[in-house]
Each structure stands twice: as structure tokens, then as C-alpha cells.
């Protein structure tokens, strides 16, 4: 079979420093666009001849077309074997699991995560390395550089494969295995968690609702929660993956998971609610009438992880992204384990997990995970919660309130200003960088700045440095303001403002979150001039 060398032209590719390429579907449909990126990945790597590549995606519009192209290109480039999920599906954490378990060279994951899908929505692709995690910066830089100079890609002129059934096929010399997207993942979950105990809990009348948001976790949730753990059928809602996610925004936060929130605040609310995003790596946890913030969830999971068999020896350490609240820090202190503060983005956890410094990690943006894979993992977080509930036999509300009573409550919220003008965003950032060193010791009403900086991360494992990761303003008494620009938005710039106010007194744990944080929001505006520079009087989204 003849390898075809197709001429192509450089693309406006992935932003360096971001783990993956995310664009409108129409861009990916452009001639040679996807091919250019995929070939750039292969050109940036070496030593993969005869090795295994894993391919799968979240099932969004264009997933099927892209996968067929990738299979032919992987064969033309000399991979020995490709493992592809049935129907082209693999959740991001399941892809990470499959890469690790089958000792693959790496994997290509097709997803734009929580961004909307469909012909007018977003599409995306990223490359993960052999440890199952997103490619580190050195690799993404090399891929990016290649997208700028590439002039040809390699493919084979063969018909599309039928991916709807498990089985084997050959493209040229390359063995294509259509695998069950759930089996390896389920097996890993059964090793980490006490499924019998969770089954008992559910058998005792405990009711749960999982909203798959018409995205990739539907089949996983049906198989795990309903078929394996015995939850009543109907416990999984929006459980069929749709190319356009039913027109919704598959982002599991209280705003976008409105259907689940309505159920959980309704009269006959089940005991436990959860949701995951487009590609299955994010999670939302909610009890009857109580949204558990991702920052609190990380802290609570850390304090209770030892109740699950996979973590019975305790955690080696905890890692959280810098803007994530410091609720987890309190638990790490109590456990006497390390706490690592990393820049935003999952890839920074990889080294800590590989080195065994951290066992659990999480981000305020609804990502929680552990050393079991190298991606955040929505269903894993739900199972750890269920395992804890099954052992403690307390309600979600009791567990959360008990946690606050013991460690203090960290009132926390993120205010997003989306789609602001790039010029305004740049001006705001340079202004902040200009004043940040002068803030120390300054007084704003009852608040006095203890420390302020533009966060710089020194990776304790490989010594690499990442500068300019966000402005941190810390006040005496523990309150904190963080401001940074989003690296994932596709239109204009997004300013993220993170507010945190610790409250040790249990008598003050029932206050309204935004009311508690209002003084900090006002201080942030005073320091950064948000309203004046962006022309906005309100954030676009508050989570
Ligand atoms: C956002 C989240 C961040 C997460 C990333 C990818 O990035 O804030 O925690 O890792 O999406 O899911 P941002 O847009 O803030 O750069
Ligand atoms: Zn995601």
C-alpha cells in the first residue's frame, strides 16, 4: 500500500502553553487543518514506529470524521497498533487509563472539553504522552513550531473503517483494534473503590442522580452507576452522547447544569447529585439543596480518601491550582502531608503525581483527580464521594458541615468577565503587574495586604519555572484575591477574579456567599479598575 504525501500549508495552530488545539468546527473542517496538526504531532515525536497509539473523543460533531483521518495517518506514519474506542468514544480520563494500561506510546484525544459542540460549536484535539497525561510544554512547543513550517502530511488512501463494533482491522501494516471504551476504566475503578459497599448503600434506598449532559460520560454512567452498582434506571439523565450535546453547554457548574440543580433543590431531591462535562474530566457534586464547591470537594475528598481501598494507606500529598481555595491546605496541614500550589492547568500535576509527591489534585474549575490516571476524572470523583458516603453513612450536608466545623469554611467564588476586548485585558494586566509590588502593607477598609505577587511556579521535580501565572493578593487573616486571564477562551479575553474568605467560626457558616465576598470584590475593582477598563458593571458568570 502506497503512503500518500499530501501537500499542506502551515496553520494558525495551538497557542504555546495550552494543552491542545481548540477552534470552531468550521476551522477543523478546512482542507488539511486537522491533518496539519496531527502530522505536526507525529513530526515532533520520534521512536514510535511499531508502537501503540490510543485514539478517542467525546463524540462531539466532527469526531467521526476526524477519527477516520487520524487512523489512516497513524498507519501512514508507521504506528504498529492503534487502540480506538468503539464509535470513536473515549472519555479523557478513560483515554489516559487506556494509554497507561496498554503501555501506549501516546494518545490523541478529540474534545473541546466543556465548550459547546455541533456544526457551529467547538472542536479540539490534544496529544497525551505515555504516562497518560497532557504533553508537557517542551512537546507542545515542538508541535506548535512544526505547525508553522509543515508542508506535507502522510496518509493512506483506504476506505473508512466500521468503528461501531469491537474487533480488529488492518490499515496497511497497522493493526486497528476497536476496543470497549468502558471496560479498562471500569476495571480500574473497581480496584480503587469498594463497589460492594456502594451497592449496599444504594440497596438501602440511597438515591442518586447523575447528569451526563448529553456528553461522553453517559455510557460510562449507565454501566457503572446503574448496571454495576444497582442505581435505579433513570438515575442517569441526559445519558446519550449527542454530537451537539442537545444544544447545551456541557459544563458541570450550577449555571449550566440547571436541570440537575433544579432536581437537587426540589421537594423530592435525591440524596446525591453529580454531573460531568463534554469529555468526562470535570465533576459537579451536589447534595440536597447544597452545591459543594470544587475547592471544598477537594478538601473533603483529601480528608476522607483513606476510606476507599485504593487510598487506604492515606495520601502522600495534595496539589491544587493556585486560584483554588486553600480549604485543602488546612487538611494537608492536619494530615502532615505536602501541599503543592501549581499554575492553572492539569498538566502541572503530572510531575508531582509521577514523582509520588501528590496523590490527589484538583482545581476550582470542577476538576479533581488522583494518581490513578494523569487527567482529572469526573466519574472517579463521584465514586470516591459515593465510597465515602457508603462508609460514613452520613448525608452530603452532614459531611460538608462537619468538615467546615473541623477545618473552617472557605467562602469562595469565581467571577468571570467574558469576551472583553483584548486591548482592555492587556491594559488591565499590565496595570496589575505594575502595582502588585506596591500593595504590601496597604489597607483597604478592614483588610490589610499581607503579600502580593504575580505567581511564579518552580516545579519541584524538574526545576522548570513558569512565570506570570496570575496576580495573588493575600490579606492578613487569610482572605485572598486572585486575578488572571483565561487561557482557554475562544472569543476576546476572559478575566477571572477569584475571591476567598476563610471563616473559622461555625456560627458564621450559613451566610450568603456573595455577601461575604462583596467587600473583596470591591477591593479587586479598586485595585484593578475592572469596571472602568472593561466597561462592565457585572461579571458575565459567577460560580
Ligand atoms: C480553565 C480552568 C482551568 C482548567 C482549564 C482546562 O482554564 O480555569 O482550571 O484547567 O480550563 O479545563 P482557563 O480558561 O481559566 O485558562
Ligand atoms: Zn473537560
Amino acid at each position: 500500500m502506497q503512503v500518500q504525501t499530501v501537500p499542506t500549508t502551515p496553520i494558525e495552530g495551538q497557542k504555546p502553553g495550552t494543552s491542545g488545539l481548540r477552534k470552531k468546527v468550521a476551522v477543523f473542517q478546512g482542507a488539511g487543518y486537522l491533518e496539519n496538526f496531527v502530522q505536526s504531532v507525529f513530526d515532533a515525536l520520534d521512536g514510535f514506529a511499531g508502537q501503540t497509539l490510543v485514539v478517542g473523543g467525546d463524540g462531539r460533531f466532527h469526531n467521526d470524521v476526524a477519527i477516520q483521518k487520524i487512523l489512516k495517518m497513524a498507519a501512514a506514519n508507521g504506528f504498529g497498533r492503534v487502540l480506538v474506542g468503539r464509535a470513536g468514544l473515549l472519555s479523557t480520563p478513560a483515554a489516559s487509563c487506556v494509554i497507561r494500561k496498554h503501555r501506549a506510546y501516546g494518545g490523541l484525544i478529540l474534545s473541546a472539553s466543556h465548550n459547546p459542540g455541533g456544526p457551529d460549536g467547538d472542536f479540539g484535539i490534544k496529544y497525551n504522552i505515555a504516562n497518560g497525561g497532557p504533553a508537557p510544554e517542551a512537546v507542545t512547543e515542538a508541535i506548535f513550531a512544526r505547525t508553522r513550517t509543515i508542508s506535507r502530511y502522510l496518509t493512506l488512501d483506504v476506505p473508512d473503517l466500521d468503528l461501531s463494533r469491537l474487533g480488529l482491522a488492518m490499515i496497511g501494516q497497522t493493526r486497528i483494534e476497536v476496543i470497549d471504551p468502558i471496560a479498562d476504566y471500569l476495571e480500574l475503578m473497581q480496584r480503587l473503590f469498594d463497589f460492594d459497599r456502594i451497592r449496599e448503600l444504594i440497596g438501602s434506598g440511597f438515591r442518586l442522580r447523575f447528569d451526563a449532559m448529553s456528553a461522553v460520560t453517559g455510557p460510562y454512567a449507565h454501566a457503572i452507576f446503574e448496571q454495576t452498582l444497582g442505581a435505579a434506571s433513570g438515575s442517569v439523565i441526559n445519558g446519550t452522547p449527542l454530537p451537539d450535546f442537545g444544544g447545551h453547554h456541557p459544563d458541570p457548574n450550577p449555571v449550566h447544569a440547571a436541570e440537575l440543580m433544579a432536581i437537587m433543590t426540589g421537594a423530592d431531591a435525591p440524596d446525591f447529585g453529580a454531573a460531568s462535562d463534554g469529555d468526562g474530566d470535570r465533576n459537579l457534586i451536589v447534595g440536597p439543596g447544597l452545591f459543594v464547591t470544587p475547592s471544598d470537594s477537594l478538601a473533603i475528598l483529601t480528608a476522607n480518601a483513606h476510606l476507599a481501598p485504593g487510598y487506604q494507606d492515606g495520601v502522600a500529598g495534595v496539589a491544587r491550582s493556585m486560584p483554588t481555595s486553600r480549604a485543602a491546605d488546612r487538611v494537608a496541614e492536619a494530615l502532615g502531608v505536602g501541599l503543592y500550589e501549581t499554575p492553572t492547568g492539569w498538566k502541572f500535576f503530572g510531575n508531582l503525581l509521577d514523582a509520588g509527591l501528590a496523590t490527589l489534585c484538583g482545581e476550582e474549575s470542577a476538576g479533581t483527580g488522583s494518581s490513578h490516571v494523569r487527567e482529572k476524572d469526573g466519574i472517579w470523583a463521584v465514586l470516591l464521594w459515593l465510597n465515602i458516603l457508603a462508609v460514613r453513612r452520613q448525608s452530603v450536608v452532614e459531611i460538608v458541615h462537619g468538615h467546615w466545623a473541623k477545618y473552617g469554611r472557605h467562602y469562595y467564588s469565581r467571577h468571570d468577565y467574558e469576551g472583553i476586548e483584548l486591548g482592555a485585558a492587556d491594559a488591565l494586566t499590565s496595570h496589575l503587574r505594575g502595582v502588585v509590588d506596591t500593595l504590601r502593607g496597604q489597607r483597604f477598609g478592614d483588610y490589610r495586604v499581607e503579600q502580593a505577587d504575580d505567581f511564579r511556579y518552580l516545579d519541584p521535580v524538574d526545576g522548570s519555572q513558569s512565570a506570570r501565572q496570575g496576580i495573588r493578593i493575600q490579606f492578613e487573616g487569610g482572605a485572598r484575591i486572585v486575578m488572571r486571564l483565561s487561557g482557554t477562551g475562544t472569543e476576546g479575553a476572559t478575566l477571572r477574579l477569584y475571591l476567598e474568605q476563610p471563616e473559622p467560626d461555625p456560627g458564621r457558616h450559613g451566610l450568603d456567599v456573595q455577601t461575604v465576598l462583596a467587600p473583596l470584590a470591591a477591593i479587586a475593582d479598586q485595585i484593578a479598575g475592572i469596571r472602568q477598563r472593561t466597561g462592565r458593571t457585572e461579571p458575565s458568570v459567577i460560580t
Side-chain angles (χ1 to χ4, degrees), residues 193-333:
F193 302 114
D194 191 339
F195 271 50
D196 290 337
R197 201 111 183 224
I198 301 174
R199 211 177 282 120
E200 262 172 46
L201 173 75
I202 290 172
S204 74
F206 178 94
R207 292 183 307 142
L208 68 93
R209 200 65 97 251
F210 180 87
D211 188 348
M213 305 190 87
S214 306
V216 77
T217 54
Y220 293 85
H222 281 299
I224 296 174
F225 303 129
E226 293 181 356
Q227 285 145 32
T228 310
L229 291 170
S233 98
S235 298
V236 176
I237 57 173
N238 300 311
T240 305
L242 300 174
D244 68 348
F245 307 121
H248 296 299
H249 206 118
D251 194 0
N253 61 43
V255 178
H256 292 301
E259 184 179 348
L260 177 74
M261 292 307 286
I263 294 170
M264 295 308 296
T265 49
D268 188 31
D271 301 290
F272 179 81
S276 190
D277 72 329
D279 62 330
D281 57 359
R282 294 186 171 197
N283 74 85
L284 166 76
I285 302 293
V286 46
L290 176 75
F291 159 62
V292 185
T293 71
S295 293
D296 276 349
S297 183
L298 175 65
I300 293 167
L301 294 180
T302 304
N304 294 279
H306 62 281
L307 301 176
Y311 307 93
Q312 62 188 2
D313 297 332
V315 300
V318 195
R320 60 159 176 81
S321 68
M322 181 273 279
T324 303
S325 99
R326 285 154 313 157
D329 303 27
R330 303 290 88 80
V331 179
E333 281 158 19

Side-chain angles (χ1 to χ4, degrees), residues 282 344-346 363-365 376 414 484 486-488 496:
R282 294 186 171 197
T344 295
W346 203 259
E363 293 192 279
E364 50 67 41
S365 54
K376 51 193 175 233
R414 184 175 101 183
R484 57 178 284 278
S486 157
T488 61
R496 302 204 196 282

